[in-house]
């Protein structure tokens, strides 16, 4: 195995070629935004970037609100809470 590899493949310490699930595309303001998060201490699921994403996403899909979540199980929980709340307001029951 030579020292060259094709795009998307990374040599590992064992010499086995590893093909990553995705290759990050960092060609814009990512460094600037990351440093802003580090400098301001907003390294969590809250903060100005998350609020901005939620607002812009809601606008894009023509809704009043948007909710960003960190993992799929969180999305299922939030969705269930929204449906439960809607059903209570409507008068229906979810079992």
């Amino acid at each position: 195995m030579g020292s060259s590899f094709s795009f998307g493949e990374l040599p590992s310490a064992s010499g086995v070629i590893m093909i990553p699930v995705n290759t990050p595309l960092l060609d814009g303001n990512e460094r600037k935004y990351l440093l802003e998060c580090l400098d301001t201490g907003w390294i969590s699921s809250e903060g100005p970037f998350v609020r901005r994403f939620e607002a812009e996403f809601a606008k894009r899909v023509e809704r009043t609100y948007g909710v960003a979540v960190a993992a799929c199980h969180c999305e299922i929980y939030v969705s269930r809470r929204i449906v439960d709340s809607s059903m209570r307001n409507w008068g229906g029951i979810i079992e």
Side-chain angles (χ1 to χ4, degrees):
M1 221 187 312
S3 63
S4 65
F5 55 93
S6 65
F7 178 75
E9 296 179 352
L10 303 173
S12 70
S14 66
V16 175
I17 296 292
M18 183 178 101
I19 301 173
V21 175
N22 72 28
T23 304
L25 176 62
L26 307 172
D27 62 354
N29 291 318
E30 291 85 1
R31 181 179 175 79
K32 174 183 156 190
Y33 296 149
L34 177 60
L35 290 175
E36 185 176 330
C37 290
L38 293 170
D39 291 343
T40 61
W42 283 112
I43 309 170
S44 69
S45 58
E46 297 182 27
F49 288 114
V50 176
R51 287 191 297 276
R52 183 171 137 198
F53 171 80
E54 291 172 337
E56 289 181 16
F57 183 81
K59 182 178 179 182
R60 170 87 180 204
V61 297
E62 299 177 353
R63 295 293 178 256
T64 305
Y65 304 103
V67 178
V69 295
C72 183
H73 68 278
C74 297
E75 176 271 327
I76 293 169
Y77 174 78
V78 170
S79 298
R80 177 65 194 254
R81 294 289 303 259
I82 291 168
V83 169
D84 286 351
S85 175
S86 296
M87 293 301 284
R88 274 195 301 278
N89 292 336
W90 171 69
I93 299 174
I94 295 178
E95 292 294 330

